[in-house]
């Protein structure tokens, strides 16, 4: 029971944490939370440790580095080694279909291809040479993206929907976000690869979770474990229930049950992120626009005390033109098409 309670608690904590982070991102609470957390942190830990932590965080999240790519490949390698080492062998003994068992490997190959493409493809870097081209792609809404905006770092005119990435130090066309896992920005030209990468990663985690669950269930059924009885602390004979079975399996196959727990949590987290990414793709929004959405007001509209009472204009999504058109924009990005025509 202890293991189940701990695992459920861990899972609930992760899911609630993810949901809270989404709510905080959409409201103004995140900055306050981070500031409050940093203040508490500064009282508890010594200064040298704080400086070292800040340097580490700066290196990890504010510079381009391969740490998360290595971590990603290491985790993927460990999960697949465990799957090959234990589950595959047992499943073959239990006469599982080979197509079914090889599906995670097929997904891995496709996933690694799209992972590499997401890492190495130019997301749509804006330069002096292509600036005018990008300026024609999207309409300016004059709220979030004013027509005469200029990037103060690159000194380039800002095309609508673009943003300067402080990690990569460049302006990116249709900027979505900077992803540390692929060590690259996600923009107009690699959003399609990133979506497919996310889809195959979620599918491989879910497939592995299903194969492992089916293997454990078949094992229980074949050995008639569920029909057995056990003697409890009071000396009474009890029929084995689900909780007892899970504990028994954990003690007998700890690595396999741990792997199942890991891929289950991963499937939930990745599934949630994938649904969010698909929602953004279907409604033609970028993560950057979604985060800024409620806070974007027309900068030229009068605000504050003494200003005339004119209703300020808030951000409105003017780029959505129906589901298929929105998806076509992701998978066949317009600027890439223009760029090809120019060559
Ligand atoms: Zn810039
Ligand atoms: Zn970037």
């Amino acid at each position: 029971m202890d293991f189940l309670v701990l695992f459920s608690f861990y899972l609930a904590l992760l899911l609630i944490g993810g949901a809270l982070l989404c709510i905080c991102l959409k409201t103004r609470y995140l900055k306050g939370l981070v500031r409050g957390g940093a203040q508490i942190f500064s009282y508890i830990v010594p200064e040298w440790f704080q400086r070292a932590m800040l340097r580490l965080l700066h290196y990890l999240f504010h510079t381009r580095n391969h740490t998360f790519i290595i971590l990603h490949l290491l985790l993927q390698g460990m999960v697949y080694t465990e799957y090959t080492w234990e589950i595959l062998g047992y499943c073959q003994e239990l006469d599982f279909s080979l197509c079914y068992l090889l599906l995670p490997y097929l997904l891995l190959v496709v996933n690694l291809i799209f992972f590499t493409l997401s890492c190495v493809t130019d997301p749509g870097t804006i330069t002096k040479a292509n600036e005018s081209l990008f300026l024609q792609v999207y309409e300016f809404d004059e709220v979030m993206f004013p027509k005469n905006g200029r990037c103060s770092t690159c000194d380039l005119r800002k095309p609508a929907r673009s943003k300067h990435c402080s990690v990569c130090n460049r302006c990116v066309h249709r900027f979505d976000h900077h992803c540390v896992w692929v060590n690259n920005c996600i923009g107009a030209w690699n959003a399609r690869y990133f979506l497919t990468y996310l889809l195959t990663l979620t599918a491989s985690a879910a497939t592995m979770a299903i194969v492992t669950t089916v293997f454990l269930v078949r094992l229980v059924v074949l050995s008639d474990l569920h029909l057995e009885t056990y003697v409890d602390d009071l000396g009474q004979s009890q029929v084995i229930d689900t909780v007892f079975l899970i504990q028994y399996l954990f003690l007998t196959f700890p690595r396999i049950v741990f792997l199942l727990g890991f891929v289950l949590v991963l499937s939930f987290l990745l599934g949630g992120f994938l649904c969010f990414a698909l929602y953004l793709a279907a409604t033609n929004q970028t993560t950057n626009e979604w985060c800024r959405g409620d806070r974007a007001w027309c900068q030229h509209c009068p605000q504050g005390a003494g200003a005339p009472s004119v209703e300020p204009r808030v951000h409105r999504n003017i780029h959505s033109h129906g589901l298929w058109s929105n998806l076509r924009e992701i998978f066949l990005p317009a600027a890439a098409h223009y760029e090809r025509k120019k060559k």
Side-chain angles (χ1 to χ4, degrees):
M1 188 68 192
D2 289 348
F3 161 71
L4 267 187
V5 171
L6 273 176
F7 180 70
S8 315
F9 182 69
Y10 176 64
L11 187 64
L13 212 69
L14 269 177
L15 294 177
I16 292 169
L20 278 176
L21 192 68
C22 274
I23 294 167
C24 289
L25 273 175
K26 208 51 187 145
T27 57
R28 294 165 192 222
Y29 298 131
L30 190 64
K31 269 188 185 167
L33 271 179
V34 171
R35 214 174 291 136
Q39 221 156 31
I40 296 168
F41 188 73
S42 67
Y43 289 132
I44 307 169
V45 295
E47 214 168 298
W48 66 265
F49 186 74
Q50 285 178 42
R51 274 201 299 273
M53 283 300 285
L54 283 174
R55 266 203 297 273
L56 179 69
L57 287 175
H58 178 80
Y59 171 74
L60 287 178
F61 297 103
H62 291 284
T63 59
R64 286 194 85 182
N65 64 80
H66 294 95
T67 314
F68 285 91
I69 291 189
I70 295 166
L71 187 66
H72 182 297
L73 293 174
L74 212 66
L75 279 172
Q76 215 166 17
M78 277 162 66
V79 167
Y80 271 85
T81 307
E82 180 59 21
Y83 178 77
T84 312
W85 194 256
E86 295 215 62
I87 298 166
L88 198 69
Y90 283 132
C91 286
Q92 274 175 321
E93 281 176 31
L94 293 176
D95 288 333
F96 273 60
S97 148
L98 204 61
C99 296
Y100 186 50
L101 293 178
L102 294 181
L103 189 59
Y105 295 105
L106 176 72
L107 287 167
L108 175 70
V109 173
V110 182
N111 177 256
L112 286 178
I113 293 171
F114 284 96
F115 176 64
T116 312
L117 284 171
S118 303
C119 294
V120 300
T121 307
D122 176 8
T125 307
I126 301 167
T127 60
K128 262 267 175 284
N130 61 23
E131 175 193 29
S132 54
L133 194 80
F134 283 125
L135 281 163
Q136 299 163 30
V137 180
Y138 292 115
E139 215 181 307
F140 291 92
D141 61 4
E142 295 299 342
V143 179
M144 199 183 282
F145 303 105
K147 197 167 188 173
N148 296 316
R150 225 177 165 86
C151 174
S152 53
T153 315
C154 310
D155 196 30
L156 292 169
R157 282 187 64 193
K158 268 183 155 174
R161 310 191 81 183
S162 68
K163 189 179 181 288
H164 183 86
C165 174
S166 56
V167 181
C168 305
N169 196 25
R170 62 182 170 187
C171 273
V172 175
H173 173 53
R174 201 186 188 279
F175 178 86
D176 193 276
H177 68 288
H178 179 89
C179 177
V180 288
W181 292 104
V182 298
N183 191 28
N184 200 0
C185 285
I186 306 303
W189 294 352
N190 65 350
R192 53 193 159 158
Y193 302 138
F194 184 73
L195 257 183
T196 319
Y197 150 72
L198 200 59
L199 186 78
T200 48
L201 192 65
T202 313
S204 63
T207 312
M208 220 173 258
I210 293 168
V211 173
T212 314
T213 309
V214 172
F215 157 68
L216 290 173
V217 169
R218 195 176 280 190
L219 197 78
V220 169
V221 172
L222 284 176
S223 57
D224 285 338
L225 253 175
H226 56 302
L227 303 174
E228 299 285 333
T229 54
Y230 70 98
V231 180
D232 67 8
D233 297 342
L234 302 168
Q236 303 277 323
S237 181
Q238 301 280 355
V239 178
I240 286 182
D241 56 9
T242 317
V243 175
F244 188 94
L245 263 180
I246 295 174
Q247 284 185 90
Y248 174 80
L249 288 171
F250 183 65
L251 291 173
T252 320
F253 307 101
R255 293 219 309 258
I256 293 180
V257 177
F258 185 76
L259 174 80
L260 177 61
F262 181 71
V263 286
L264 267 179
V265 172
L266 209 62
S267 304
F268 279 119
L269 292 178
L270 288 171
F273 186 41
L274 177 67
C275 288
F276 173 65
L278 288 175
Y279 159 74
L280 291 182
T283 53
N284 206 333
Q285 295 181 74
T286 62
T287 308
N288 173 45
E289 290 159 6
W290 180 83
C291 287
R292 291 172 58 194
D294 294 344
R295 300 193 293 267
W297 295 75
C298 173
Q299 287 164 9
H300 313 298
C301 295
Q303 286 169 40
S309 59
V310 179
E311 193 68 22
R313 281 191 292 150
V314 285
H315 169 70
R316 195 170 54 83
N317 181 6
I318 58 166
H319 305 292
S320 181
H321 303 291
L323 178 68
W324 295 117
S325 167
N326 294 344
L327 291 180
R328 199 170 52 234
E329 198 179 300
I330 299 262
F331 289 95
L332 295 168
H337 176 64
Y338 289 145
E339 191 86 328
R340 273 199 299 275
K341 271 206 304 194
K342 217 181 85 177
K343 279 176 186 169

